[in-house]
Amino acid sequence: MIGYFRKVLLLVSLLFLLKNSLLAQLCTGSLGDPVVNLTFGNGANPGPPSSFTNMSFFATDCPNDGQYTIRSNTQNCFQSTWHSLLQDHTGDPNGYMMLVNASFQPSDFYVQKVGGLCGNTTYEFAAWVMNLMRNASCFGGPTINPDLTFSIETPTGAVLASRTTGQIAVSAQPKWEQIGMFFTTPPGTSEVIMRLRNNAPGGCGNDLAIDDITFRPCGAKLKTAIEGISGNRAVLCEGAPTSFRFTAAITSQLANPEMQWQESRDSGRNWVNIQGAQTTTYTWNNRPAGNYLYRVLVADRGNINSLACRIASQPLEVRVRAKPRIELVAATPFCVGTRLNISGRINWVDTSNGTYNWRQPAGGSLVMAQKDSGSFYLLHAGKVAEAADSGWYRLEAVSGAGCTAADSVRIQLLARPAASIQLPTLACQGTTTELAATASQNAGAIAGWQWSWPGQTSSAQRLSLRFDSAMAMDFRLVALAQNGCYSDTATATLVVHAQPVAGFLMPEVCLTDPFAQFSNTSTIADGTPLRFNWRFGDPANPAAGSTLANAQYRFSRTGVYAVGLTVTSAAGCTADTVQQFTVNGAAPKAGFSLGTTGLICSADTVVLRNESTVDFGNITRLVIRWNNNDNPAEMTVDEAPFAGKTYPFVYSTLMRGLEQKFTIRFTAYSGIGCVQELTREITVNQSPQALMTAISPLCANAPAFVLQQGSEQGGLSGTGVYLGAGVSGTDLFDPLVAGAGLHPIAYQFTTTAGCRDTAEQTIRVYPVPQVSAGSDLSVLVGGSITLQGSANGSGLRYLWTPPTDLSNPAVLQPLARPRQDRSYLLTAISPDGCSASDEMKVTVVNELYIPNAFSPNGDGLNDSWQVPFLESVAGAELRVFNRYGELVFFTTGKGRWDGRHKGADLPAGIYVYQVRYNGLLRKGTVMLVR
């Protein structure tokens, strides 16, 4: 028994070793790039069906026995007895794989021809497979594990290599296994057949996933190295004076080997031949920053460019680390006394950080401070720069990979000018003020100026400004020297003093007045005291003047004098004014005329025209007393009269009776004591008061009526008349004559004395609808007809009377079914209530009249045949037949036959007709005459 168990154990061990050897039949030498790389593609589910399998394609997840699908994932299949896969073998969530639910009987399930191979060449065949079943997935029953045979055959059926996997066991977690084997193509053979066979029966299990099937050339072991470097990876900084020597060795000799070194810059996805690198060594010189891969290809001579015939070494890697990138501000001069700021930017490129250091010139004593702002480094001086701080400043950086870089900037310190502002001695409101800029020359010539004050700037050296109000304004000035340095800001405050406004009132005097009194009206905004200097402009006394605020002076003769006044503020600001002053003559002559002649009514405007004169100068004042009293309401005073000026007045408020006399007293002045007065009597008649009350709107077809809305309210005797569109005689208004619209109507009343007044009202005349009941109609007994009413107007309502036998008496065109002759009246009513009517008659025809002949010859007489009133009977039909019984005309209701059929004239002769109406059928003949 012990011996038996030893035998069983030995057998199990051998089977285990055999299976692992089958699964590990992979190339131990060097491989070439894949000749075949079957990944099944990628994209959205499902993938496209394969043409290399005899199984049925299943478009969704979880295929049944004997089916397969192409998908990028599978989840919860068969009550989660399958593993859930969220990606293919390579980890691509969009990559497809082939999911197989094997058939019940063992069979070949995948056969594909592979071409483009090289004869007499050894290839590694490999595929990744997975048992989709989970542990204990068959509900206590046995699980059937996949058992596959991979076979490579020639097109004639000779087997080059065959491997059987044995049972691929279930696993608790998804487990991909690579299965591989070798085969050698016969000389001259470039195609093989790849065959996959399912050896296990169907049932619970035998479900698998397949992905990434590859054919790769397999040959001698290639060994590459970097001289002086341990391992296959070298790292250096860009720009380092370094080179490497790559070597390649072949462990077994080829009959006639050929070599080619290649380079890849995208992590091995694409390889490029290195020109001239075809020996066992290759010398590499420093390159720009990046990752570089290198490998050597080996093949029998003549096959080096064939993907299917060559092998490749494991890649060598050279990592060229980037140096930090330093950017400094351009070297510009700095000015003595300013804070020195140097800004630099360090980009570490392929490391997140590093170290750096600033170096100052030998005489520099600046304390440098760092402020980190992302990849920007701002260096600030701890004190104002001095001349000794001139020189080169150098920024050195070392990346985290140890790569160094440096950059320098030269700082030149220059002398600065000193600016100052020259203010004016006095600045007054409303006058031009000048300010000047000056600067020391220790920094060289001045190249420019920068003025600033509230809301304004300037680059001029001198400013000419005008200020419209008193204020205190701050000015700032910076001078720019030709060496580029600016001065400190000079400041000064300009005080703008209030400007006085000179003014005075001139008296109205004549030669005999004792003196002329001038009244000062000068002002100043800040209220400070003013000084006065009067000039009277008297040629007889040129020095005549005064320093009083209000001055007096007596002139010895009439004339026009230039009187001037100069006022000066406490700050010294002055203002001056000159006015022409007239000394009038002592003998004014009053005179006036009335523009109103003839009848004067109390509602009229009496217009007085000034015609007064003086022997020299001007009339200075007029007083008009319209009722010879000093009541201000009945008096006009003019302090600035002139010849021809007019003055209106209305007497209506002063009237006491039908007629009244008034005395006008007219007084003219040429000075204080020089005056003349005139009087004139006028007669004024009472004006009437016309009134007119509102007139109600009415329709245009309303009858004419007598207007009675006008009256006179004052009780005066006289005559009233009406005026306006539609008015005839003196009081008759006809709305039809006036027409639709708004019309002003006036009532004019004239007194027996001739005074007149007018009142007015507007009357609205509404338009009347235009209505037609249509032509008289006839209808066959038992029939119906549509009344052809029409009307013009907006928003109209309609009414047919009587409503007997009408479908709807409130519509414009109702359907009528009269049983006897009847007259209908159509009335249209507008929204304003205006209406108009029209009448028509419907005649009921008891017998159907059918014409027995017609002559369609175009002479205008009986050119067509029609049965009258037939259209009024619903469902009525008319048919006409020729002598052969052929239907040549048909109509329902109204229709005219022109003697034609299908567009052609019919011959003259007898035609038979049939008329159906009201359940009756009438037959007869009609003669067609040509």
Side-chain angles (χ1 to χ4, degrees):
M1 184 64 68
I2 295 175
Y4 171 78
F5 280 115
R6 287 178 179 172
K7 291 178 181 180
V8 172
L9 181 60
L10 177 60
L11 178 60
V12 172
S13 299
L14 289 174
L15 290 173
F16 178 78
L17 292 173
L18 176 61
K19 179 182 178 183
N20 279 280
S21 65
L22 289 173
L23 296 178
Q25 293 290 323
L26 301 176
C27 184
T28 57
S30 294
L31 290 168
D33 293 326
V35 179
V36 173
N37 189 13
L38 180 59
T39 67
F40 299 103
N42 57 46
N45 286 319
S50 173
S51 61
F52 303 115
T53 180
N54 57 4
M55 303 181 72
S56 298
F57 179 72
F58 193 67
T60 58
D61 200 4
C62 310
N64 296 312
D65 287 338
Q67 296 179 334
Y68 78 99
T69 188
I70 306 294
R71 293 181 62 84
S72 61
N73 57 63
T74 178
Q75 298 185 62
N76 305 320
C77 279
F78 307 110
Q79 301 182 17
S80 296
T81 59
W82 277 20
H83 290 297
S84 289
L85 305 180
L86 302 181
Q87 56 197 18
D88 71 353
H89 156 254
T90 63
D92 182 358
N94 294 315
Y96 293 140
M97 52 193 160
M98 185 176 183
L99 305 179
V100 178
N101 193 331
S103 61
F104 282 98
Q105 300 299 324
S107 62
D108 297 338
F109 69 91
Y110 192 93
V111 180
Q112 180 179 353
K113 180 184 286 187
V114 177
L117 306 180
C118 292
N120 196 28
T121 301
T122 299
Y123 290 92
E124 175 199 80
F125 164 82
W128 291 89
V129 297
M130 176 191 293
N131 187 339
L132 287 174
M133 297 295 292
R134 303 171 62 192
N135 287 338
S137 295
C138 289
F139 309 101
T143 299
I144 301 173
N145 293 323
D147 185 347
L148 306 176
T149 295
F150 295 85
S151 178
I152 307 298
E153 305 169 1
T154 67
T156 61
V159 177
L160 301 178
S162 178
R163 288 290 183 270
T164 299
T165 63
Q167 292 190 22
I168 302 174
V170 297
S171 57
Q173 299 296 328
K175 180 181 178 182
W176 287 100
E177 299 185 42
Q178 190 178 34
I179 299 172
M181 63 183 178
F182 302 107
F183 67 92
T184 301
T185 56
T189 299
S190 62
E191 293 183 343
V192 298
I193 304 299
M194 176 181 66
R195 187 182 305 275
L196 276 68
R197 181 175 179 79
N198 166 39
N199 300 318
C204 183
N206 198 13
D207 304 323
L208 65 142
I210 301 177
D211 200 5
D212 297 315
I213 301 174
T214 58
F215 281 58
R216 300 177 67 180
C218 177
K221 183 71 174 179
L222 297 180
K223 184 177 182 181
T224 55
I226 306 174
E227 288 187 350
I229 299 295
S230 176
N232 63 350
R233 185 172 186 266
V235 180
L236 71 159
C237 296
E238 66 175 326
T242 304
S243 63
F244 297 112
R245 188 168 182 266
F246 302 156
T247 62
I250 307 175
T251 58
S252 60
Q253 294 295 323
L254 296 176
N256 190 10
E258 186 177 7
M259 308 183 74
Q260 174 65 57
W261 287 91
Q262 288 188 319
E263 178 186 73
S264 174
R265 299 187 185 182
D266 56 5
S267 301
R269 288 188 294 274
N270 294 285
W271 293 89
V272 178
N273 290 342
I274 301 174
Q275 296 296 323
Q278 297 167 334
T279 64
T280 57
T281 62
Y282 170 66
T283 300
W284 181 91
N285 294 311
N286 203 340
R287 308 285 296 278
N291 269 24
Y292 301 86
L293 296 181
Y294 298 89
R295 70 178 185 179
V296 65
L297 305 177
V298 175
D300 281 329
R301 186 161 301 279
N303 291 335
I304 194 66
N305 293 321
S306 174
L307 181 69
C309 303
R310 67 192 186 193
I311 59 175
S313 67
Q314 291 296 315
L316 301 174
E317 180 183 3
V318 179
R319 172 76 182 275
V320 181
R321 306 302 293 265
K323 298 190 298 184
R325 303 290 188 259
I326 298 178
E327 297 178 11
L328 296 180
V329 293
T332 55
F334 284 82
C335 301
V336 172
T338 61
R339 183 173 294 275
L340 180 60
N341 294 310
I342 308 173
S343 64
R345 180 178 185 268
I346 302 176
N347 183 354
W348 299 111
V349 187
D350 67 350
T351 60
S352 60
N353 53 31
T355 60
Y356 61 91
N357 182 48
W358 279 92
R359 297 188 182 276
Q360 299 188 49
S365 59
L366 297 179
V367 178
M368 309 302 290
Q370 167 195 330
K371 179 182 180 182
D372 189 348
S373 176
S375 58
F376 287 85
Y377 293 81
L378 307 178
L379 285 299
H380 306 280
K383 64 181 184 66
V384 218
E386 300 176 357
D389 294 316
S390 297
W392 288 94
Y393 288 77
R394 179 180 176 84
L395 175 60
E396 299 173 348
V398 181
S399 71
C403 298
T404 63
D407 195 9
S408 300
V409 60
R410 185 174 182 272
I411 302 302
Q412 181 183 1
L413 295 172
L414 306 174
R416 301 170 62 210
S420 61
I421 299 173
Q422 291 184 353
L423 296 176
T425 304
L426 176 65
C428 296
Q429 169 191 359
T431 62
T432 300
T433 301
E434 291 195 352
L435 294 84
T438 61
S440 64
Q441 301 295 314
N442 59 324
I446 301 301
W449 310 91
Q450 293 180 1
W451 288 91
S452 64
W453 63 99
Q456 299 288 329
T457 60
S458 176
S459 59
Q461 184 176 4
R462 305 182 70 86
L463 301 179
S464 294
L465 304 174
R466 177 186 174 91
F467 300 94
D468 293 329
S469 59
M471 66 183 71
M473 182 168 290
D474 293 331
F475 284 81
R476 299 168 64 86
L477 172 67
V478 175
L480 171 64
Q482 285 187 342
N483 64 7
C485 291
Y486 288 91
S487 68
D488 288 334
T489 301
T491 60
T493 300
L494 174 68
V495 177
V496 180
H497 297 283
Q499 178 74 18
V501 178
F504 61 89
L505 298 177
M506 294 187 297
E508 298 173 349
V509 297
C510 57
L511 188 60
T512 58
D513 288 333
F515 55 82
Q517 177 68 52
F518 297 94
S519 300
N520 167 54
T521 60
S522 302
T523 59
I524 187 168
D526 60 5
T528 56
L530 297 174
R531 301 191 302 275
F532 305 93
N533 182 21
W534 292 89
R535 306 178 304 279
F536 297 119
D538 187 356
N541 186 11
S546 174
T547 59
L548 298 176
N550 300 297
Q552 295 179 352
Y553 185 72
R554 174 175 174 76
F555 293 89
S556 59
R557 59 174 64 91
T558 61
V560 179
Y561 300 89
V563 177
L565 172 62
T566 300
V567 293
T568 304
S569 71
C573 297
T574 63
D576 186 80
T577 183
V578 176
Q579 299 189 58
Q580 299 299 313
F581 174 67
T582 300
V583 177
N584 299 307
K589 184 177 181 180
F592 69 89
S593 62
L594 290 176
T596 304
T597 60
L599 177 68
I600 300 177
C601 298
S602 62
D604 296 340
T605 299
V606 177
V607 179
L608 183 151
R609 185 176 187 274
N610 175 36
E611 296 176 353
S612 303
T613 59
V614 66
D615 56 350
F616 181 84
N618 302 302
I619 299 297
T620 61
R621 187 168 185 261
L622 288 179
V623 178
I624 306 171
R625 296 171 176 83
W626 298 95
N627 196 18
N628 196 20
N629 60 42
D630 292 327
N631 184 354
E634 303 172 16
M635 183 169 59
T636 299
V637 178
D638 186 6
E639 301 289 351
F642 55 84
K645 190 173 183 179
T646 59
Y647 304 90
F649 188 77
V650 178
Y651 279 94
S652 59
T653 59
L654 306 183
M655 286 298 295
R656 302 292 185 272
L658 298 180
E659 179 183 288
Q660 188 172 347
K661 295 186 181 299
F662 295 94
T663 299
I664 299 174
R665 182 151 56 102
F666 181 85
T667 308
Y669 296 83
S670 63
I672 298 173
C674 304
V675 60
Q676 188 182 46
E677 190 172 83
L678 288 178
T679 60
R680 179 178 298 180
E681 186 178 73
I682 63 173
T683 299
V684 179
N685 289 275
Q686 181 69 49
S687 294
Q689 301 177 37
L691 176 67
M692 189 174 182
T693 59
I695 308 173
S696 300
L698 69 166
C699 298
N701 58 356
F705 63 94
V706 175
L707 294 168
Q708 296 178 338
Q709 286 78 12
S711 62
E712 198 282 322
Q713 298 297 296
L716 303 181
S717 59
T719 303
V721 296
Y722 294 91
L723 305 171
V727 178
S728 60
T730 60
D731 57 3
L732 187 65
F733 177 76
D734 190 340
L736 187 62
V737 175
L742 288 173
H743 304 288
I745 304 298
Y747 175 70
Q748 188 179 85
F749 187 86
T750 305
T751 66
T752 54
C755 292
R756 179 177 297 166
D757 190 27
T758 300
E760 185 177 284
Q761 287 287 348
T762 298
I763 184 171
R764 179 183 292 273
V765 178
Y766 293 126
V768 176
Q770 297 179 7
V771 63
S772 171
S775 303
D776 292 343
L777 301 174
S778 296
V779 61
L780 192 62
V781 61
S784 62
I785 194 165
T786 300
L787 305 187
Q788 301 300 309
S790 62
N792 288 330
S794 300
L796 301 179
R797 293 182 293 112
Y798 308 106
L799 180 63
W800 289 88
T801 54
T804 308
D805 300 328
L806 296 181
S807 60
N808 186 349
V811 299
L812 193 58
Q813 295 183 344
L815 188 67
R817 299 179 183 273
R819 294 181 292 274
Q820 62 186 33
D821 295 350
R822 194 176 303 281
S823 295
Y824 290 102
L825 181 71
L826 172 61
T827 302
I829 307 168
S830 72
D832 302 315
C834 299
S835 63
S837 300
D838 189 33
E839 189 176 44
M840 57 85 63
K841 182 177 181 181
V842 179
T843 301
V844 178
V845 179
N846 293 316
E847 280 295 329
L848 185 66
Y849 168 71
I850 302 176
N852 57 10
F854 72 108
S855 57
N857 53 14
D859 63 357
L861 299 174
N862 299 318
D863 282 334
S864 62
W865 183 69
Q866 179 184 3
V867 178
F869 317 126
L870 187 63
E871 70 275 6
S872 65
V873 180
E877 296 179 350
L878 172 63
R879 290 176 173 83
V880 180
F881 303 89
N882 61 17
R883 62 180 179 174
Y884 304 110
E886 179 184 2
L887 180 68
V888 296
F889 178 69
F890 172 76
T891 182
T892 58
K894 186 175 183 178
R896 294 177 181 271
W897 183 35
D898 57 1
R900 297 168 64 85
H901 178 54
K902 295 183 179 179
D905 290 338
L906 292 175
I910 301 295
Y911 290 85
V912 177
Y913 66 79
Q914 291 181 355
V915 182
R916 293 182 183 273
Y917 69 101
N918 290 337
L920 302 176
L921 174 62
R922 287 187 58 179
K923 298 180 181 180
T925 60
V926 59
M927 173 69 74
L928 190 157
V929 181
R930 289 290 183 186

